[in-house]
Amino acid sequence: MPGRIEDYAIVGDLRTAALIGTDGSVDWLCCPRFDSHAFFAALLGSEENGHWRIAPNGAGACTSRTYASDSLVLQTRWDQPAGQLVLTDFMPPTTEDAPPRLIRIAQCTAGTVEVTSELRLRFGYGQYVPWVRRAEGGHVAIAGPDAVWFRSDTDQRGEHRLTRSHITLQAGDRAEFELSWRPSHLPAPPPVDAQEVLRTTLDFWSGWIADCTYRGPWRAAVTRSLITLKALTYAPTGGIVAAATTSLPEDLGGERNWDYRFCWLRDATLTLSSLLRSGLVREAEAWREWLERAVAGSPEDLQIMYGVAGERLLPEAELDWLPGYEGARPVRSGNAAAGQLQLDVYGEVMAALHLARSAGLPPLRHAWDVQCALMDFLATAWREPDDGLWEVRGPRRHFVHSKVMAWVAADSVVKSAQAFQLPGPVARWRAMRDEIHREVCAQGFDTERNTFTQYYGSRELDAALLMIPKVGFLPADDPRVAGTVDAVARELDHQGFLRRYSTGGEGPSSVDGLSGSEGAFLACSFWLADALTALGREEQAHALFERLLAVRNDVGLLAEEWDPVAGRQVGNFPQAFSHVGLLDTALGLSGRPRLMGRS
């Protein structure tokens, strides 16, 4: 059985990532990309669906683990009666033509330790047993288009459809293991010197994080979040996936299981802002360039998410041979929400591109033409109901957050046109901005309760309403903002954290059409801390922020949600949106000015 979600750590090569448990088992890895088929899929099933465990004989969870300095090199330690073992796991950042590699080094640092490596490869998300043979100083496992090459300085033997080795290490001894993927029609990848590649990997991460300019009180949390965002980046294109996994449940045992190995436009502005405010200009520029390529095309075809290279077709399928994480089914590959209409993404795109210009990023040639075309479409589309930013699978509605972000779109192009002397129908955009503002304040506000609502005519609330002061729709000192913040904090509270919206419990929700509940949404809880800061309630904001930091796992990682009843992280992992929220709140509480909102 897989461990708790928070029992996992991540290593990656900037094209894909592996999840490794406290027991030394690699339970998730897709190659060569984040969204490729997994050949270690025990995370969503059992060991029979593929895993690779290295650990002392008979040992369970490790004694401790940490990342080596500010890096993505994981070090796991077991203290045993007869000795101590340190397992070092990493994936060297790769170039476009180099194969993805996972390198594992087991070293005895005291006494004597008996160690076992157990490798079980299952291609096609844990479905297919490969043909394994000896080759090129090791073993190769082949199934259809995929080949995994496995090399080690230890003796390996096949038994019961897995590859196993037993070794005895004494103080100072080490055993090295290398696993690499290549298309099955290509020759074997050349072996590497594990110690040399470890040094270059550590140098890469220390050199990369050196660009971070943050020196505030939460530096360790900020740097770990930045490294996590980098780990979720597909380096060839600059796209940042929402998470490294699919189908980790928002509701343990329930149906709220989605594939998050894609790039969401909704994350664009907050991610860009956090990267720029942290001094990571190159990453911000790469993300902006991915964004501009992805949204190019007919305005009505704008999607809420894309593949890591900008792919538009993300068909959703159910992997019915996998039992799911702790029985949560279905397990999904792909995401049908890519075809939804979410008006907020137009605001995200416009705000992100305005932010990029304002920050001095080099302009891209056709970006403004694309923006003008998108605004022509939005000029009428903003009046329509949509699916909302949470990808609900219930009926379309006039969601207040969607209208607010349509206002942000108009506001952003007005600002860009004025600040950078760009051509466009500014008077028409300004009139559109003003009309949206009037309508939202008239139809999306509950005067009796002094709060904005989830959608027109509703009494339900939505944590996305906390974005109203953040994006500049209303100033923080407007009484309607304080009323909304108080109402959201009160009605969506989940034992000190915040839900996205009210779910249906046992029956289907009237909003999202799904049964079951979910945990507290961590990004929304960070938004609440930001709103409290904007209202001058810094003591409350600090207390909430520290509460959020306390639910990180032992190596500083966050999933999408926190279940305060079970005391567990839930949802896909690690989650970029949660770490962006952490960054934004830490930077705000440290006094770094925001790069969003009304200018």
Side-chain angles (χ1 to χ4, degrees):
M1 290 292 292
R4 300 174 306 166
I5 291 171
E6 57 266 36
D7 288 342
Y8 289 95
I10 184 177
V11 299
D13 64 356
L14 309 186
R15 287 191 292 174
T16 189
L19 265 62
I20 305 173
T22 55
D23 62 350
S25 181
V26 182
D27 288 346
W28 184 255
L29 178 58
C30 308
C31 284
R33 303 189 345 172
F34 291 102
D35 56 352
S36 299
H37 293 188
F39 53 77
F40 295 142
L43 181 69
L44 300 176
S46 70
E47 292 180 350
E48 289 300 320
N49 298 116
H51 80 122
W52 180 16
R53 185 168 189 244
I54 298 176
N57 291 356
C62 63
T63 304
S64 67
R65 62 179 179 172
T66 186
Y67 285 109
S69 187
D70 290 331
S71 77
L72 209 63
V73 175
L74 181 67
Q75 295 178 324
T76 305
R77 192 186 89 237
W78 286 267
D79 294 338
Q80 296 292 98
Q84 183 183 82
L85 180 75
V86 174
L87 177 63
T88 300
D89 290 310
F90 64 99
M91 296 182 72
T94 56
T95 59
E96 191 88 48
D97 56 348
R101 283 187 169 93
L102 173 59
I103 295 176
R104 315 192 77 184
I105 303 171
Q107 181 165 9
C108 178
T109 52
T112 301
V113 183
E114 302 288 335
V115 181
T116 296
S117 167
E118 183 176 283
L119 172 68
R120 182 181 278 107
L121 289 159
R122 297 292 184 267
F123 291 99
Y125 293 106
Q127 189 175 23
Y128 305 119
V129 179
W131 174 47
V132 181
R133 60 180 173 84
R134 291 186 178 274
E136 304 280 342
H139 293 79
V140 59
I142 297 175
D146 297 296
V148 167
W149 298 80
F150 179 64
R151 298 184 176 100
S152 175
D153 55 6
T154 66
D155 290 332
Q156 308 290 317
R157 70 175 185 272
E159 53 183 69
H160 308 299
R161 301 199 301 182
L162 58 83
T163 302
R164 179 177 283 142
S165 64
H166 298 285
I167 51 179
T168 300
L169 298 177
Q170 296 182 337
D173 291 347
R174 66 173 179 253
E176 298 176 347
F177 305 83
E178 176 195 340
L179 182 148
S180 56
W181 176 94
R182 284 200 107 169
S184 59
H185 65 278
L186 295 180
V192 297
D193 182 327
Q195 295 300 311
E196 175 61 27
V197 175
L198 174 59
R199 284 190 290 271
T200 59
T201 300
L202 289 168
D203 289 345
F204 169 84
W205 286 107
S206 62
W208 178 79
I209 201 62
D211 289 340
C212 175
T213 58
Y214 178 79
R215 299 293 183 270
W218 298 287
R219 178 166 171 78
V222 166
T223 54
R224 181 50 51 195
S225 290
L226 288 169
I227 290 169
T228 303
L229 284 181
K230 183 68 171 176
L232 295 173
T233 300
Y234 184 69
T237 65
I240 302 174
V241 296
T245 59
T246 178
S247 301
L248 290 180
E250 299 164 5
D251 178 25
L252 292 171
E255 65 174 328
R256 297 170 181 267
N257 320 312
W258 316 108
D259 193 345
Y260 275 22
R261 297 170 299 156
F262 308 113
C263 306
W264 264 253
L265 295 189
R266 129 189 123 187
D267 304 358
T269 311
L270 290 174
T271 301
L272 195 63
S273 175
S274 293
L275 291 171
L276 288 169
R277 292 162 73 199
S278 302
L280 298 173
V281 177
R282 286 178 296 176
E283 279 63 35
E285 187 170 348
W287 174 231
R288 188 276 312 265
E289 291 176 358
W290 176 90
L291 176 67
E292 291 189 342
R293 291 193 303 271
V295 304
S298 180
E300 62 269 20
D301 294 333
L302 185 70
Q303 296 186 180
I304 67 168
M305 71 182 85
Y306 296 85
V308 294
E311 296 91 347
R312 292 172 178 259
L313 295 178
L314 309 175
E316 185 174 303
E318 295 185 2
L319 312 181
D320 57 9
W321 60 90
L322 287 171
Y325 180 85
E326 295 191 7
R329 303 185 72 176
V331 173
R332 294 179 170 97
S333 172
N335 200 313
Q340 288 188 345
L341 173 64
Q342 294 184 15
L343 295 173
D344 66 291
V345 298
Y346 292 88
E348 298 289 0
V349 170
M350 299 304 171
L353 297 180
H354 176 68
L355 173 59
R357 288 190 188 91
S358 301
L361 297 186
L364 295 182
R365 185 175 177 184
H366 299 297
W368 185 246
D369 292 339
V370 171
Q371 287 183 261
C372 290
L374 291 173
M375 287 304 299
D376 286 343
F377 173 76
L378 191 61
T380 55
W382 76 265
R383 302 177 187 279
E384 300 299 320
D386 76 328
D387 295 300
L389 88 160
W390 301 127
E391 289 122 45
V392 298
R393 303 205 175 188
R396 288 183 175 178
R397 303 180 187 274
H398 291 282
F399 287 101
V400 169
H401 176 263
S402 298
K403 307 300 186 186
V404 168
M405 293 308 295
W407 175 92
V408 168
D411 187 55
S412 297
V413 291
V414 167
K415 290 175 183 176
S416 287
Q418 292 175 335
F420 302 101
Q421 290 78 55
L422 297 170
V426 175
R428 190 176 75 202
W429 292 336
R430 190 180 289 115
M432 172 183 165
R433 178 183 66 179
D434 294 344
E435 183 182 359
I436 296 172
H437 200 280
R438 286 192 301 270
E439 181 179 296
V440 169
C441 291
Q443 299 188 45
F445 187 76
D446 184 336
T447 56
E448 179 184 334
R449 296 157 65 209
N450 190 35
T451 180
F452 286 93
T453 60
Q454 186 177 41
Y455 54 89
Y456 290 176
S458 169
R459 290 184 61 82
E460 298 289 339
L461 298 181
D462 192 315
L465 299 170
L466 297 171
M467 299 297 287
I468 284 174
K470 196 184 204 58
V471 301
F473 185 82
L474 287 175
D477 59 3
D478 189 295
R480 292 169 292 184
V481 169
T484 300
V485 172
D486 290 339
V488 167
R490 180 178 61 252
E491 297 187 26
L492 297 182
D493 175 74
H494 191 23
Q495 296 191 18
F497 301 90
L498 209 64
R499 297 187 189 274
R500 290 186 287 185
Y501 52 86
S502 296
T503 54
E506 293 299 322
S509 166
S510 62
V511 174
D512 64 21
L514 298 171
S515 61
S517 186
E518 64 177 17
F521 199 80
L522 292 173
C524 296
S525 301
F526 285 116
W527 296 349
L528 177 57
D530 297 339
L532 292 170
T533 301
L535 292 174
R537 304 176 191 174
E538 292 196 356
E539 186 173 341
Q540 294 179 50
H542 274 88
L544 175 55
F545 186 55
E546 292 294 342
R547 196 155 61 244
L548 286 159
L549 292 180
V551 305
R552 294 173 299 156
N553 74 357
D554 58 319
V555 289
L557 302 181
L558 290 168
E560 182 181 28
E561 299 181 2
W562 170 253
D563 184 339
V565 177
R568 295 179 57 179
Q569 293 193 28
V570 291
N572 282 307
F573 178 90
Q575 177 82 7
F577 212 31
S578 298
H579 284 280
V580 168
L582 187 157
L583 285 168
D584 207 36
T585 301
L587 293 167
L589 288 173
S590 300
R592 293 211 171 190
R594 300 193 184 279
L595 301 179
M596 297 174 60
R598 186 188 296 274
S599 62

